[in-house]
Amino acid sequence: MAEVTVIESKIANLGSLVRAFETIGVTVEVSKDPRVICKARRLVLPGVGAFAAGMDELKKNELNFVLGDVVAKGTPLLGICLGMQLLLDSSEENGVTRGLGLIQGKVIKIPSVNTFGVRERKVPHIGWSAIFPSSKKQGWECSSLSTTDSGDFFYFVHSYRVSLANPKDSSAECDYSGVAITAALSKNNITGLQFHPERSGPKGLEILRAFARSDSID
Amino acid sequence: MRNIRLIARLDVKAPNLVKGVQFEGLRKLGDPNEFAERYYLEGIDEIYYEDIVASLYERNNILEIVAQTTRNIFVPVTVGGGLRTVEDVAAVLRAGADKVAINTGAIKSPEIITEISRRFGSQCMVLSIQAKKNHDDWEAFYDNGRERSGLDVIEWARRGQNLGAGEIILTSVDQEGTGTGLDIDLVRAVTDVVDIPVVASGGLGNPDHLVDVINYGNADAVAIATALHYQQFSLREFREKCLKEHISVRVPPN
């Protein structure tokens, strides 16, 4: 059985993620079959694009329910970019859409203007940002970041950010022109990355390697 | 903090990396994959491939090069040249690209911008504008600066954003390949009217040019070609100059 199963979605560009795992010697399969996903050793939920479209893709195969079950049973789950945002309760992107509800909190727009209506930053946030451990914690408290140094740069492309109900679920943050962005979250066997490890050079590949070596349930 | 992106621009006439001046007099420089891989190892932020013959002859030889490049390179890759339909875009993304740059296709049918943006997300849809100075303003050209569109660059940039473009790569045809500096007025005129990121391209010859287009043109990213291809300056020299001038850039791992 593959070490990592990537959840197939029409709206995600899976090629680079699969190639990244292959490059670091991790066996990887792509599937949207609930039976395969139930048995997976480790799961990656990728995604780019709109929140509602991402949820629709999951619902098509009832993966919204399946993911709740596999997380409850302890399967490591890594959400990347939109895949991380889908883990939350809801998103305000194009009206309110319910998410998977595996992490408490919501997905909100990155503000482009300040309270006086003056433009402070461009949205989307596209580019490399340095990430740091979330202030209330010592270290990352996230096994997939074990090889990451404070201040390492990763590639982001997003217009929305997560607002966590429990700040302790945040393991890394970055600053984008004055707004704090949750760069990584972790809770039990769930990890979320707002940035793209598969597009973040050698440091990103190291995160994928660490995830592929994390304890699986078998 | 907002970090400026340094992008290596590779013009490709398959199977070679080429470079001209104002898109003319192309010289063959070698295997594009070797250049791309070197830039990746040196810590480039993104790679931008432009298939510069595709528009003229309406063919797409670049897919193979992209597929090979993205096996070894794990930074974002943008591909442009000759893409006219959603199917063309899907093929390039399947080959491993993250974004597409559309010029001719968008001028001929602007609705393609919206279609690509809806299907693949706006982060994927980069509007490529080739601008030529015309007295006090700039006109958008296509087919590598050969054909006039009649479109005013500033208007076209604004419209492209409204149609769903997530980014603009803005090339000065006049400055392209000259190494004498970017058209800062052009870059400033566009960054003043759009909210999406603007990649400045054409004319970058040394690290001072880079600093100028960021400080005075408000560029969000800069495309570098000649200066890197001919090893006139290293990526490290560009980065160090930025940091010295208090311009934030990614500091790659050693």
Side-chain angles (χ1 to χ4, degrees):
Chain A
M1 197 195 292
E3 290 168 274
V4 169
T5 303
V6 175
I7 298 169
E8 188 176 351
S9 162
K10 212 174 56 194
I11 65 159
N13 184 12
L14 303 177
S16 56
L17 188 57
V18 169
R19 270 184 287 263
F21 277 118
E22 287 170 351
T23 296
I24 56 176
V26 171
T27 54
V28 55
E29 66 181 346
V30 176
S31 179
K32 58 182 175 192
D33 181 344
R35 288 164 299 180
V36 174
I37 287 165
C38 277
K39 285 188 284 185
R41 292 170 67 188
R42 297 174 194 86
L43 283 167
V44 179
L45 178 59
V48 290
F51 190 95
M55 277 310 290
D56 287 346
E57 275 288 306
L58 291 176
K59 284 179 190 164
K60 253 192 245 168
N61 299 297
E62 300 196 330
L63 295 182
N64 47 328
F65 301 120
V66 174
L67 285 175
D69 292 345
V70 296
V71 163
K73 121 185 141 168
T75 307
L77 171 65
L78 171 65
I80 296 175
C81 195
L82 176 68
M84 159 171 136
Q85 299 184 353
L86 292 172
L87 302 172
L88 279 88
D89 292 321
S90 66
S91 169
E92 64 173 34
E93 183 176 354
N94 303 322
V96 176
T97 308
R98 280 190 61 158
L100 293 168
L102 299 171
I103 299 283
Q104 282 67 57
K106 56 187 180 173
V107 180
I108 58 174
K109 180 101 181 161
I110 300 172
S112 57
V113 296
N114 65 14
T115 46
F116 304 104
V118 177
R119 193 175 85 177
E120 285 193 317
R121 62 190 72 79
K122 293 194 176 185
V123 176
H125 166 215
I126 302 182
W128 296 76
S129 290
I131 72 167
F132 300 92
S134 301
S135 50
K136 291 180 187 67
K137 291 193 167 190
Q138 299 292 316
W140 304 105
E141 292 194 23
C142 171
S143 60
S144 294
L145 297 177
S146 56
T147 57
T148 306
D149 293 315
S150 180
D152 280 348
F153 285 76
F154 295 93
Y155 185 77
F156 290 76
V157 45
H158 61 128
S159 298
Y160 289 78
R161 63 182 171 131
V162 302
S163 169
L164 297 168
N166 303 315
K168 65 180 173 52
D169 293 341
S170 171
S171 46
E173 284 181 11
C174 74
D175 169 85
Y176 177 51
S177 297
V179 67
I181 306 274
T182 301
L185 58 81
S186 65
K187 185 183 180 185
N188 304 325
N189 49 329
I190 300 175
T191 304
L193 303 173
Q194 182 60 68
F195 54 86
H196 287 273
E198 77 282 12
R199 279 294 172 253
S200 296
K203 282 290 180 177
L205 296 182
E206 283 177 9
I207 293 178
L208 295 177
R209 190 183 286 118
F211 174 72
R213 285 179 186 162
S214 62
D215 293 338
S216 64
I217 50 167
D218 54 13
Chain B
M1 201 184 294
R2 152 178 170 267
N3 295 313
I4 300 301
R5 288 172 285 150
L6 306 184
I7 301 173
R9 175 178 177 145
L10 293 95
D11 289 342
V12 171
K13 185 178 175 185
N16 290 300
L17 173 69
V18 296
K19 193 65 201 134
V21 175
Q22 296 172 334
F23 294 115
E24 301 287 347
L26 301 177
R27 283 183 60 184
K28 291 182 189 172
L29 301 181
D31 178 357
N33 274 306
E34 285 176 18
F35 283 81
E37 229 168 298
R38 174 158 65 84
Y39 300 150
Y40 173 66
L41 293 174
E42 289 173 2
I44 198 74
D45 293 339
E46 292 187 36
I47 300 280
Y48 168 36
Y49 276 124
E50 179 73 23
D51 184 353
I52 63 159
V53 291
S55 261
L56 285 175
Y57 302 105
E58 310 214 0
R59 59 197 162 88
N60 281 308
N61 281 339
I62 200 153
L63 289 180
E64 233 172 273
I65 293 170
V66 172
Q68 204 183 328
T69 298
T70 53
R71 270 201 288 272
N72 307 317
I73 287 181
F74 297 97
V75 293
V77 174
T78 303
V79 173
L83 308 174
R84 286 167 200 279
T85 64
V86 167
E87 287 70 37
D88 291 343
V89 173
V92 169
L93 297 180
R94 263 199 310 276
D98 300 278
K99 323 183 211 184
V100 291
I102 312 282
N103 176 17
T104 309
I107 286 172
K108 292 194 171 165
S109 35
E111 66 277 5
I112 187 84
I113 297 173
T114 312
E115 285 171 31
I116 293 169
S117 168
R118 284 220 182 108
R119 170 94 179 262
F120 305 104
S122 63
Q123 84 293 332
C124 181
M125 171 60 228
V126 183
L127 178 63
S128 164
I129 302 180
Q130 293 171 356
K132 220 171 191 172
K133 199 161 172 69
N134 188 3
H135 304 294
D136 292 333
D137 44 23
W138 295 269
E139 183 179 344
F141 275 63
Y142 61 97
D143 279 346
N144 302 307
R146 285 181 189 84
E147 304 288 338
R148 317 175 66 132
S149 71
L151 296 169
D152 175 70
V153 165
I154 312 304
E155 275 311 304
W156 180 225
R158 195 184 276 144
R159 190 163 159 226
Q161 168 175 284
N162 293 340
L163 287 168
E167 210 174 340
I168 290 173
I169 178 147
L170 180 62
T171 305
S172 162
V173 176
D174 308 297
Q175 295 305 104
E176 202 279 329
T178 64
T180 57
L182 295 109
D183 186 340
I184 290 166
D185 294 338
L186 165 69
V187 175
R188 182 61 190 249
V190 172
T191 55
D192 274 350
V193 300
V194 297
D195 295 317
I196 54 179
V198 175
V199 183
S201 173
L204 193 146
N206 62 50
D208 288 325
H209 294 154
L210 174 55
V211 170
D212 288 346
V213 79
I214 293 162
N215 284 344
Y216 304 113
N218 279 342
D220 300 280
V222 183
I224 318 176
T226 307
L228 286 180
H229 299 340
Y230 290 107
Q231 301 193 28
Q232 292 160 343
F233 292 92
S234 68
L235 206 49
R236 176 188 287 261
E237 286 172 285
F238 282 110
R239 276 186 206 288
E240 281 173 358
K241 177 71 178 176
C242 285
L243 293 171
K244 200 174 145 214
E245 301 290 332
H246 308 291
I247 292 168
S248 300
V249 288
R250 165 193 177 215
V251 182
N254 294 319

